[in-house]
Amino acid sequence: TKNLVVLISGSGSNLQAIIDATKSGQIDGRICAVISNKADVYGIERAKKAGIKTHVLNHKAYASREAYDQDLAQVIETYQPDLVILAGFMRILTANFVQKFVGKMLNIHPSLLPKYQGLNTHQRALDAKDTEHGVSVHFVTEELDGGPVVCQACIKVLSNDTAETLAQRIHAEEHIIYPKVVEWFCQDRLTMRNGNAWFDNELLPPTG
Ligand code: GAR
């Protein structure tokens, strides 16, 4: 059973999907802690309801990104996690921080990476008149939203879609693929080696 730490900044619906998957036995892991950079977000309530230890580490109380990430790493390391799961954690991470968890940190990003790294992905897909949109789970590297992709889900963009309707349908996909990827990681089927993602000892093809 792997030790998991989940980082959030918001409503935590992906956190919920992962909590549910640990409870059902789909994921052979234990969520040791949930850490948020914002107080009063619903994700913290979800963690408390599930009996999971929570921490709020307010970035506004820190003078620099380095100082924040140093404290964040320290809190995470007290749990000795096998995997750090970024689930809507809306902060750019420093290289020093990322290096501490290489191959042990996953992120979910609401676009078909390498398209639309950064923010406002749904609106950008609409503005570009994309016919397909989606979501990616990837290992975290120093490059923002640039690490090797493990899994993607694709949806069709409809003529009457808005950023909100896209976000809704993407969320439904997220709640399927993120627990699945965490399941694989906890089964030791998924690793990052030399900057690439491997599944069952086979190199996953790069996307894009
Ligand atoms: C998700 O859609 C996730 O893909 C996105 O934030 C949302 C969090 O939702 N992540 C990013 O944009 C990362 N840059 P949730 O709090 O309900 O899980």
Side-chain angles (χ1 to χ4, degrees):
T1 301
K2 306 272 194 219
N3 287 332
L4 316 174
V5 168
V6 184
L7 272 53
I8 61 165
S9 302
S11 91
S13 68
N14 281 284
L15 164 67
Q16 188 66 58
I18 292 165
I19 291 173
D20 294 347
T22 58
K23 287 198 169 148
S24 74
Q26 183 196 341
I27 293 174
D28 184 12
R30 191 177 80 86
I31 304 177
C32 308
V34 169
I35 306 171
S36 173
N37 65 310
K38 289 187 180 166
D40 307 322
V41 291
Y42 189 52
I44 288 288
E45 291 311 307
R46 294 182 192 271
K48 284 183 176 160
K49 273 184 203 155
I52 300 166
K53 186 119 199 336
T54 61
H55 296 264
V56 173
L57 222 60
N58 180 1
H59 58 279
K60 290 182 183 154
Y62 290 81
S64 71
R65 205 174 274 285
E66 286 291 343
Y68 181 82
D69 280 8
Q70 217 156 44
D71 267 18
L72 180 61
Q74 206 162 46
V75 174
I76 295 170
E77 275 164 348
T78 60
Y79 295 97
Q80 304 213 303
D82 300 291
L83 180 65
V84 177
I85 300 169
L86 307 181
F89 187 63
M90 302 303 279
R91 285 191 52 84
I92 294 173
L93 297 164
T94 58
N96 274 333
F97 178 91
V98 171
Q99 276 157 18
K100 291 183 176 133
F101 304 104
V102 194
K104 297 169 58 166
M105 184 155 60
L106 292 168
N107 182 42
I108 191 158
H109 182 77
S111 76
L112 293 172
L113 289 173
K115 276 191 159 181
Y116 313 131
Q117 298 164 341
L119 299 174
N120 303 319
T121 57
H122 307 308
Q123 191 56 51
R124 286 156 72 196
L126 287 173
D127 291 348
K129 305 215 181 322
D130 289 352
T131 55
E132 287 188 325
H133 184 41
V135 53
S136 309
V137 176
H138 65 95
F139 280 108
V140 177
T141 62
E142 287 172 36
E143 195 193 333
L144 177 69
D145 300 325
V149 171
V150 174
C151 185
Q152 294 183 317
C154 212
I155 62 166
K156 290 243 174 297
V157 179
L158 310 174
S159 56
N160 56 352
D161 262 323
T162 63
E164 288 69 35
T165 59
L166 284 178
Q168 261 175 26
R169 292 213 304 291
I170 292 281
H171 262 102
E173 299 295 331
E174 294 185 333
H175 302 159
I176 298 166
I177 69 167
Y178 214 2
K180 199 74 201 163
V181 171
V182 174
E183 174 193 335
W184 293 333
F185 186 92
C186 291
Q187 293 169 328
D188 291 322
R189 298 177 72 183
L190 182 65
T191 50
M192 190 174 103
R193 283 180 253 160
N194 303 320
N196 295 303
W198 295 71
F199 183 72
D200 278 351
N201 284 317
E202 298 214 30
L203 182 61
L204 290 173
T207 56

